[in-house]
Amino acid sequence: YVEPTNECNLKCRTCIRNIWDEPLGQMNWTTFTLILKELRTFSPVPTVFFGGFGEPLAHPQIVEMVAEAKALGTSVELITNGTLLTQSLSRRFIEARLDVLWVSIDGTTPSSYADVRLGAALPEVLANVKTFRDIRMKAQLQAPEIGFAFVAMKRNINDLPSLLHMITQIATYQASE
């Protein structure tokens, strides 16, 4: 589990960052290189998962980090809130051979999503995920897989049944649509 940054562009209700008093920052390349060096001593090299209390896409070298981790010959996953997932970043993650892109979705309607993910809009996040998926499909690739994380709580539990429908629509989209 590698946390490239503890900085984030959102103020989610459930985030620990709302109550802590830690300085914000980003992992420097030297520290990341030391992590890679230690990972090389494992056999087999464990899956590398980019995530943490920050938004990994807020780190300016996140794609390079993914590529370097992939060079170890292991599986690489990343979790994001999806708001910063641009078309360019999508292409670069696919080129870097990311294995799984996890997207945090804590609501299936714009209002329930915005109630948890303060500062984000569900339609924009879903559009970003669909763009990522379309780029992957046009390249005729099975990876990166797209996964969704949903933190169930009293304020969004009623959305849980519609979550499967929503992600199935994303997964079954045909390029002709």
Side-chain angles (χ1 to χ4, degrees), residues 9-177:
N9 60 319
L10 300 181
K11 301 284 186 203
C12 300
R13 290 189 188 275
T14 58
C15 186
I16 194 169
R17 294 172 65 251
N18 293 323
I19 59 169
W20 71 348
D21 190 25
E22 293 293 322
L24 299 178
Q26 297 185 345
M27 181 182 294
N28 64 45
W29 195 257
T30 302
T31 300
F32 182 67
T33 302
L34 291 171
I35 291 169
L36 293 177
K37 180 180 176 185
E38 292 301 316
L39 284 171
R40 285 186 187 93
T41 67
F42 288 83
S43 182
V45 176
T47 296
V48 175
F49 189 98
F50 289 98
F53 295 133
E55 168 55 44
L57 276 56
H59 194 290
Q61 294 177 296
I62 188 61
V63 176
E64 291 80 4
M65 290 175 158
V66 167
E68 289 296 320
K70 276 303 292 182
L72 297 174
T74 190
S75 179
V76 177
E77 302 182 17
L78 181 145
I79 191 163
T80 178
N81 62 37
T83 59
L84 303 176
L85 185 63
T86 63
Q87 186 174 23
S88 173
L89 267 178
S90 295
R91 281 194 182 93
R92 292 175 62 212
F93 278 129
I94 291 166
E95 290 168 3
R97 299 184 1 244
L98 179 68
D99 292 290
V100 183
L101 177 77
W102 290 96
V103 182
S104 294
I105 302 286
D106 295 328
T108 60
T109 67
S111 60
S112 64
Y113 178 84
D115 182 53
V116 176
R117 298 267 167 191
L118 307 178
L122 182 62
E124 293 172 12
V125 170
L126 293 178
N128 292 347
V129 174
K130 289 174 183 177
T131 297
F132 182 90
R133 178 213 50 211
D134 292 349
I135 293 169
R136 184 196 67 197
M137 287 177 63
K138 285 179 185 170
Q140 298 180 338
L141 299 171
Q142 296 298 315
E145 292 179 37
I146 301 170
F148 293 91
F150 184 94
V151 177
M153 57 195 106
K154 287 180 184 179
R155 67 184 337 111
N156 70 358
I157 194 69
N158 291 331
D159 284 7
L160 199 51
S162 60
L163 179 65
L164 183 59
H165 176 71
M166 184 182 78
I167 61 177
T168 300
Q169 282 186 320
I170 292 170
T172 59
Y173 171 87
Q174 298 299 316
S176 61
E177 287 186 33

